Amino acid sequence: MKKTLFILLLSSFTCSFAQNEALKPYGPIPTANQLRWQKMEYYAFIHYSINTYTDMAWGFGNEDLNLFNPDKLDARQWAKICKEAGMKGIIFTAKHHSGFCMWPSKYTEYSVKNVPWKNGKGDVVKEMADACKEFGLKFGVYLSPWDRNHPDYGKPEYITYFRNQLTELLTNYGEIFEVWFDGANGGNGYYGGANETRKIDAKTYYDWQNTYKLVRKLQPNIVIWNDGGDRADLRWVGTEAGYVGETNWSLLNARGDVPEDMLRHGVENGNAWVPGEVNTSIRPEWFYHEREDRKVKTLPQLLDVYYHSVGRNGTMLLNFPIMPNGLIHEKDEKAIQELTKTLKETFKSNLAKNAKITASTSRGKTAQFAANKSIDNDLDSYWATNDDIKTASLTLDFGKMTSFNRFLVQEPIRLGQRVKSFSLDALVNGKWTEIAKETTIGYKRILRFPTVEATKLRLNILDSKSCPLISNIEVYKAPIVLTPPTIIRDKEGLVSFKSGDKESEIYYTLDGSQPTSRSPKYTTPVKTADGKVEIKAISYNPFTKQSSIVGEESFDISHKSWKIINTNDINANQILDGNSTTSWHQKNGDLVIDLGKQQKISGFRYLPAQNWWEEGSIITHFQFSTSTDGINWKLASEGEFSNIKNNPFWQTKTFEPVQANFIKFTPMKTVNPGSDFGIAEFDLITKE
Ligand code: FUL
């Protein structure tokens, strides 16, 4: 009797002792601040400053203070939109490159204290900080190191000024979760009236180490973002397009240059923990420009940003520009609402929750590291293997046929990022089939794949730096996103369709009739007649039998027989490829096209180059001539594309029909005088 009791006591003692086994971290690990930040996953940027009123990407530093007088400024609207989108915080441009301060800084006159808004008594930083507090959001500040207004920029005195401002921001506005030091540094500017170019050495000028000390002293819980100078807590991912690499290590080397490839993927054996933050704007540019009202990211684009940031071991920092009236545009609000709705539906019901899970091997004999720790809804507990193991698997048994198309997996990164490669198999009709083969996991990895119907799902860790640890697995069936397909006709007359969700089917018609699921189904590019064609298409969900609204496009005669004859530049054909994201630029000269046969022409259409950095190349004035022999030309139309700068989309000009074998489009002026001419697409309007 006594002996049994003793054994019982002993075994419960060894059990509880074993349960407390603390695994050793492997390699660099996050600080408590980095860990807290990583868990935020998804938060906002807000760009608003004096250059909002001059339609500029970067203020020069001499913008008139009288311009700042919004009549509807409402930081609560910004915070409400972000909160409802499920975001966890907002980083606000307290000072952008123009040097204009959105708070009444004691150290400069170039601030809200000298503007008409609220008679100089306003403080946008405070309104933002208060709104974040009210809506339960964390607050961060963007303080541009480059200051195109300050007379001392480039001299040692400016560093004191910069630190004084930093002290104001990090002292007077409550807890700050992140500070952003942008990498654009030095160049031309106003500089207190000097109007000159000032160059600085970004590596030495700012004496970052001492600035970091000040920041951490004032805000012990902060994370520092810096892509220009010394390495800080977070890294830029090398692009503002909204993605980080599929392979994404949260590591870099503490010293040495960081080329783009390292920013994109991290460094597998790096000696410092520097995770990536994916920053992008909901529109092409960071500040508000009316001309971009039609360029707000679509739902499929926003979903891509989410899966390519949060889904790839990064965080998502999405920017909203503020309009001159002081509000976020309703199109941006609608776009983020659609994203929120889709993400909510996607991650509503975790199919791993009720599955049975087993491991090929687990650490020790206790429950502490058992397979089910990866589905227990507790990020602190995890499945682990013995130290010498680098390859192992976890199998989820759903107990019945289950369909899914998303897989989410997490490592407990407080013990280091370990997994180097993994794959996913599904048991389909009694056979294991590989559905994905990937590299890193990190804090969170989400995979998207076509819907699979299976009874079991197996995660294979194929290689790991040290014994693999998995803290969480989730499985979902995301609804298919139904957006109208985009329709493109290339130079050869082949039509292709693209839907917002690879899983949806596409049905189309070529005669202008309404497409249904009984219309032809799109598989490969479709040959169309050389003449005019009206195409309609829907995206279709074969499971729910729902369709998107109809996408439609009308094309004039095909470009098959057309030849651009006054250039050898092969890029010229991009203006006839139906793809609006590619463009052709030329310094001078006309666009001359041999149409291959005579056509009756009654107009033309011009689409300017679409990227914001190509804006200067938009053609504002033109001449259009025709010819039957390519020698003698007759002017058919000339003039201006009114408002094209603000509305850089298809421009149509019509005229009395003329017979022509050749056409000549002569650009006369561009938005930026002297800039080259940019054309994304060019087309003709013909009469039968
Ligand atoms: C860039 C800046 O130059 C842009 O204006 C913007 O603030 C973006 C977030 O960072 O480098």
Side-chain angles (χ1 to χ4, degrees):
M1 202 49 184
K2 262 195 185 152
K3 201 175 156 199
T4 329
L5 189 66
F6 175 73
I7 289 171
L8 265 176
L9 274 173
L10 185 74
S11 65
S12 77
F13 175 75
T14 44
C15 240
S16 64
F17 184 74
Q19 263 177 6
N20 290 333
E21 182 187 351
L23 287 200
K24 282 207 201 75
Y26 184 88
I29 54 166
T31 61
N33 293 358
Q34 286 170 319
L35 203 54
R36 201 178 319 106
W37 160 87
Q38 185 95 50
K39 287 183 183 162
M40 289 174 66
E41 296 190 5
Y42 173 40
Y43 44 95
F45 231 161
I46 284 190
H47 272 66
Y48 183 33
S49 188
I50 191 103
N51 49 301
T52 300
Y53 298 91
T54 54
D55 212 14
M56 307 267 285
W58 291 353
F60 192 73
N62 63 347
E63 285 70 24
D64 184 354
L65 290 167
N66 287 318
L67 292 171
F68 198 91
N69 195 15
D71 55 344
K72 298 203 175 82
L73 193 157
D74 182 7
R76 296 184 69 258
Q77 185 233 16
W78 319 340
K80 185 164 180 279
I81 288 172
C82 296
K83 182 70 185 183
E84 285 173 358
M87 294 173 149
K88 299 287 186 292
I90 295 179
I91 301 176
F92 180 63
T93 51
K95 182 182 88 170
H96 201 255
H97 310 330
S98 70
F100 178 74
C101 297
M102 299 294 271
W103 80 103
S105 171
K106 260 200 323 223
Y107 302 98
T108 178
E109 293 307 304
Y110 201 52
S111 85
V112 282
K113 72 184 177 202
N114 290 314
V115 301
W117 177 66
K118 297 200 167 174
N119 293 319
K121 298 274 175 297
D123 181 345
V124 194
V125 175
K126 177 151 194 327
E127 295 196 12
M128 180 81 273
D130 289 349
C132 282
K133 210 165 178 191
E134 179 184 340
F135 286 91
L137 294 164
K138 295 190 182 202
F139 179 48
V141 288
Y142 175 120
L143 184 73
S144 170
W146 183 24
D147 188 318
R148 301 174 93 187
N149 173 266
H150 203 275
D152 289 341
Y153 183 77
K155 302 181 194 151
E157 293 84 329
Y158 173 76
I159 303 306
T160 308
Y161 172 75
F162 182 66
R163 289 188 182 145
N164 282 339
Q165 294 203 314
L166 202 49
T167 305
E168 286 183 322
L169 289 171
L170 302 187
T171 309
N172 300 333
Y173 298 96
E175 176 139 319
I176 306 290
F177 83 94
E178 178 169 341
V179 62
W180 234 79
F181 297 130
D182 191 71
N185 274 298
N188 62 351
Y190 174 68
Y191 304 126
N195 282 315
E196 59 189 13
T197 298
R198 292 188 182 173
K199 290 211 165 66
I200 53 106
D201 177 355
K203 287 211 172 95
T204 52
Y205 177 57
Y206 295 102
D207 178 20
W208 282 118
Q209 290 308 326
N210 281 314
T211 302
Y212 293 170
K213 271 190 207 146
L214 173 73
V215 170
R216 296 196 199 287
K217 191 180 95 205
L218 297 172
Q219 292 282 340
N221 294 330
I222 206 165
V223 280
I224 303 172
W225 188 99
N226 194 346
D227 82 309
D230 291 10
R231 216 127 307 153
D233 299 323
L234 311 177
R235 75 170 203 269
W236 186 42
V237 294
T239 173
E240 294 177 349
Y243 66 95
V244 64
E246 283 182 89
T247 298
N248 179 16
W249 292 99
S250 290
L251 305 172
L252 282 184
N253 285 321
R255 304 254 157 275
D257 286 339
V258 189
E260 199 169 300
D261 193 53
M262 288 187 187
L263 291 171
R264 195 67 46 83
H265 301 288
V267 174
E268 182 175 327
N269 293 313
N271 57 19
W273 188 271
V274 192
E277 177 185 75
V278 177
N279 65 308
T280 192
S281 186
I282 197 157
R283 292 160 174 250
E285 273 253 48
W286 296 95
F287 283 93
Y288 178 81
H289 307 284
E290 193 186 339
R291 60 180 174 274
E292 292 184 350
D293 285 354
R294 286 168 60 180
K295 291 196 175 179
V296 177
K297 285 195 169 73
T298 60
L299 177 60
Q301 287 171 327
L302 286 170
L303 281 167
D304 280 350
V305 175
Y306 181 82
Y307 285 108
H308 296 164
S309 56
V310 177
R312 289 185 182 171
N313 185 34
T315 58
M316 175 166 164
L317 171 54
L318 182 69
N319 178 64
F320 295 99
I322 302 301
M323 290 188 286
N325 69 1
L327 296 173
I328 292 176
H329 195 284
E330 59 183 3
K331 285 203 174 146
D332 304 29
E333 181 178 3
K334 201 165 159 272
I336 202 65
Q337 283 170 345
E338 276 182 37
L339 175 71
T340 312
K341 190 168 152 252
T342 307
L343 290 178
K344 267 198 189 138
E345 279 170 17
T346 299
F347 298 108
K348 196 164 61 188
S349 162
N350 175 11
L351 301 165
K353 218 165 68 193
N354 300 320
K356 260 203 235 118
I357 191 159
T358 49
S360 62
T361 172
S362 294
R363 189 182 187 88
K365 298 257 165 317
T366 70
Q368 185 185 354
F369 303 114
N372 67 351
K373 295 295 173 186
S374 64
I375 54 168
D376 65 355
N377 209 13
D378 175 2
L379 279 188
D380 289 333
S381 69
Y382 50 90
W383 161 75
T385 69
N386 284 337
D387 284 339
D388 55 337
I389 304 279
K390 303 229 163 114
T391 308
S393 62
L394 284 168
T395 304
L396 285 163
D397 183 348
F398 300 112
K400 59 173 192 269
M401 215 39 152
T402 302
S403 54
F404 50 88
N405 52 16
R406 299 287 184 277
F407 178 76
L408 184 157
V409 57
Q410 297 186 266
E411 289 183 79
I413 53 168
R414 65 178 193 280
L415 295 169
Q417 187 181 351
R418 298 170 176 231
V419 175
K420 287 164 63 162
S421 69
F422 70 99
S423 69
L424 214 56
D425 298 334
L427 189 65
V428 182
N429 299 329
K431 230 181 97 201
W432 283 106
T433 321
E434 185 174 274
I435 51 178
K437 189 150 183 235
E438 301 289 332
T439 54
T440 52
I441 295 177
Y443 168 73
K444 189 178 268 190
R445 188 76 201 269
I446 312 174
L447 303 184
R448 291 189 282 185
F449 42 83
T451 302
V452 175
E453 272 205 74
T455 49
K456 292 185 184 180
L457 177 63
R458 187 169 65 197
L459 165 68
N460 305 300
I461 306 295
L462 303 174
D463 197 6
S464 182
K465 285 181 169 181
S466 180
C467 64
L469 317 174
I470 297 295
S471 58
N472 188 34
I473 288 177
E474 296 172 19
V475 178
Y476 295 97
K477 170 81 167 71
I480 292 178
V481 171
L482 290 174
T483 48
T486 50
I487 307 168
I488 282 183
R489 182 164 72 165
D490 72 6
K491 188 169 177 298
E492 301 309 311
L494 284 178
V495 170
S496 48
F497 302 87
K498 200 170 160 225
S499 69
D501 192 318
K502 286 196 196 112
E503 280 218 65
S504 61
E505 296 173 349
I506 295 175
Y507 294 89
Y508 65 92
T509 62
L510 302 177
D511 58 3
S513 61
Q514 284 302 103
T516 68
S517 57
R518 287 176 303 283
S519 307
K521 181 173 171 182
Y522 176 64
T523 47
T524 49
V526 187
K527 231 169 126 53
T528 54
D530 286 346
K532 298 188 183 209
V533 36
E534 201 184 332
I535 302 176
K536 293 190 174 169
I538 49 166
S539 298
Y540 180 76
N541 180 338
F543 305 103
T544 61
K545 311 220 176 317
Q546 284 168 315
S547 321
S548 70
I549 55 170
V550 177
E552 44 188 291
E553 222 39 92
S554 301
F555 298 100
D556 210 287
I557 52 170
S558 92
H559 304 155
K560 205 146 114 200
S561 59
W562 296 12
K563 234 169 143 181
I564 302 174
I565 54 175
N566 61 332
T567 175
N568 292 326
D569 185 353
I570 46 161
N571 285 335
N573 276 325
Q574 293 186 342
I575 70 171
L576 304 177
D577 65 0
N579 181 354
S580 61
T581 62
T582 58
S583 58
W584 178 50
H585 289 248
Q586 67 163 341
K587 205 71 221 117
N588 295 301
D590 315 307
L591 164 69
V592 183
I593 303 177
D594 176 352
L595 302 175
K597 53 180 166 225
Q598 198 164 83
Q599 303 283 357
K600 199 174 188 185
I601 299 170
S602 60
F604 74 91
R605 301 199 308 140
Y606 159 61
L607 182 73
Q610 293 293 293
N611 294 307
W612 63 265
W613 58 87
E614 298 172 299
E615 204 177 282
S617 74
I618 296 175
I619 299 163
T620 54
H621 294 75
F622 70 94
Q623 284 183 345
F624 184 89
S625 320
T626 62
S627 168
T628 47
D629 56 9
I631 300 164
N632 301 302
W633 293 94
K634 240 174 50 202
L635 188 69
S637 170
E638 69 177 325
E640 178 181 2
F641 301 115
S642 339
N643 198 30
I644 188 168
K645 184 173 178 231
N646 289 328
N647 190 32
F649 298 97
W650 278 108
Q651 309 287 317
T652 303
K653 294 286 173 188
T654 50
F655 42 78
E656 277 303 305
V658 269
Q659 293 289 352
N661 296 63
F662 299 85
I663 67 98
K664 181 156 77 182
F665 176 60
T666 311
M668 308 294 286
K669 259 194 214 167
T670 47
V671 163
N672 278 355
S675 169
D676 50 5
F677 307 127
I679 305 177
E681 290 295 306
F682 193 84
D683 209 356
L684 293 177
I685 301 170
T686 61
K687 267 246 146 54
E688 317 271 71

